[in-house]
Amino acid sequence: MKTLLSLFCLVTYLTCALSQHPVSLDMACNKALSAVACSFEFTNNGNEDLYLLKRNTPLEGLNSQFVSVSLDGRPLEYEGIIIHRLPPTKDEFVLLKAGESISALVQITDAFSIDTDGLYTVQYSRPLQYLSVNEMSEMSTGKLRESIVRESVHIHLEDTSLLSRPKKEETKANYIVHLEACGSASFVGDRNNSATLDAHKKLCSGIDKAKGGVGNNKVYVTWFGTYTSGRATKVKEVYQKMRDGIGSKTCTYHNNGPLCKPNYYAYTYKGSTTVYLCDVYYGDPTDCSKTGESKEGTLIHEWAHAFAYIDDVTYGRTNCKNLAKSNPDDAVRNADTYLYHYCDLQ
């Protein structure tokens, strides 16, 4: 009787687990010639069809950090593209029928510098997001459900000096504008550069104002959650890194970035001094807004990536406010959060 009860509990547990997280992942990594390639297979283990969001997964290619890579426990820096984009649209989902799988293959050496022989761990690091068929018909993308995956693989690599390295786009500026109080701005191409320059000119004084507004107050709690001195110190450090970078370096704005897609505002790389601007960006007003997007806000978002090495956890005002309530630590490392906090204090 006790055995039957235990079996019933086990079956019940598994059923509940599948209903909570119906999408599973299998992954494998291998060295192939001059690259390390990883395969990812997503399976719908539920009993209903689902629409899986391709964004932030290998199903859209290596356009975000969905894996972390470490060597003997030491994490490697992600060197790939980081994108500021619109909320998901229907074409960013793929139908995954009950019991079916879909797979993708990416070369992680396109985004991580693997140059030392040893034991590497590749860990999937983002939740999978999906909608039911009914939710998709209503296009309720603000109600994305999540399936947590904790898959990882170990791979011992030798002769890593033969592996390819991440490549970043090279830019050659058309002209440079030297600013009296906020470094220099240069431009590749010309697409309403005067508006971008106007937005850029506001950044140094704007960052000073935002950093000065970090404290146990309503605006801080709205965007970063429950106040602690430790988290507040981290927020100030992020603003200071942005301020130092913008004030001391030549910031380059590359119009119509080569990797732009219709739903991109802009993109950059960690450690870069270039922001690549895309179509959506040009349609926004120049100055910060407390209700919508802006050129000034997009620049803050991108320089948070480039100079402060901040990640993307979630996008949009509502999602960022919810993140502040549910996970303040994640809010502190989310680029869009700095955009909204900064703009609310201008």
Side-chain angles (χ1 to χ4, degrees), residues 244-307:
D244 292 343
I246 293 169
S248 64
K249 301 179 186 297
T250 298
C251 297
T252 298
Y253 295 106
H254 190 303
N255 289 289
N256 306 314
L259 300 181
C260 284
K261 293 185 179 179
N263 63 348
Y264 290 9
Y265 285 96
Y267 65 90
T268 190
Y269 301 85
K270 291 180 179 179
S272 177
T273 57
T274 300
V275 167
Y276 300 85
L277 305 175
C278 304
D279 276 343
V280 179
Y281 165 86
Y282 299 107
D284 285 339
T286 299
D287 297 344
C288 264
S289 167
K290 293 186 179 182
T291 57
E293 305 301 321
S294 65
K295 291 182 174 66
E296 185 179 356
T298 290
L299 300 189
I300 283 293
H301 179 116
E302 294 305 306
W303 294 126
H305 289 315
F307 293 140

Side-chain angles (χ1 to χ4, degrees), residues 5-18:
L5 181 60
S6 298
L7 181 60
F8 173 78
C9 291
L10 177 60
V11 171
T12 301
Y13 170 80
L14 290 174
T15 302
C16 290
L18 288 175

Side-chain angles (χ1 to χ4, degrees), residues 6 12 23 46 50 76 85 109-110 115 148 151 155 273 303 343:
S6 298
T12 301
V23 184
L50 301 172
L76 274 61
R85 36 187 164 182
T109 38
D110 289 343
D115 53 13
I148 306 299
E151 291 297 309
I155 179 171
T273 57
W303 294 126
C343 281

Side-chain angles (χ1 to χ4, degrees), residues 139-207:
M139 203 53 209
S140 303
T141 56
K143 300 179 181 179
L144 285 168
R145 290 188 272 169
E146 293 189 345
S147 183
I148 306 299
V149 293
R150 305 189 186 281
E151 291 297 309
S152 63
V153 296
H154 302 286
I155 179 171
H156 190 272
L157 296 174
E158 298 179 349
D159 298 325
T160 51
S161 61
L162 302 177
L163 294 174
S164 60
R165 300 289 181 264
K167 295 180 181 178
K168 296 181 181 179
E169 300 168 46
E170 296 183 3
T171 61
K172 187 175 181 180
N174 298 102
Y175 64 93
I176 299 176
V177 178
H178 298 285
L179 305 175
E180 192 171 320
C182 197
S184 304
S186 70
F187 294 87
V188 176
D190 189 350
R191 187 170 176 185
N192 201 5
N193 288 348
S194 60
T196 298
L197 183 59
D198 286 344
H200 180 88
K201 289 177 179 177
K202 296 175 178 289
L203 297 183
C204 285
S205 61
I207 290 172

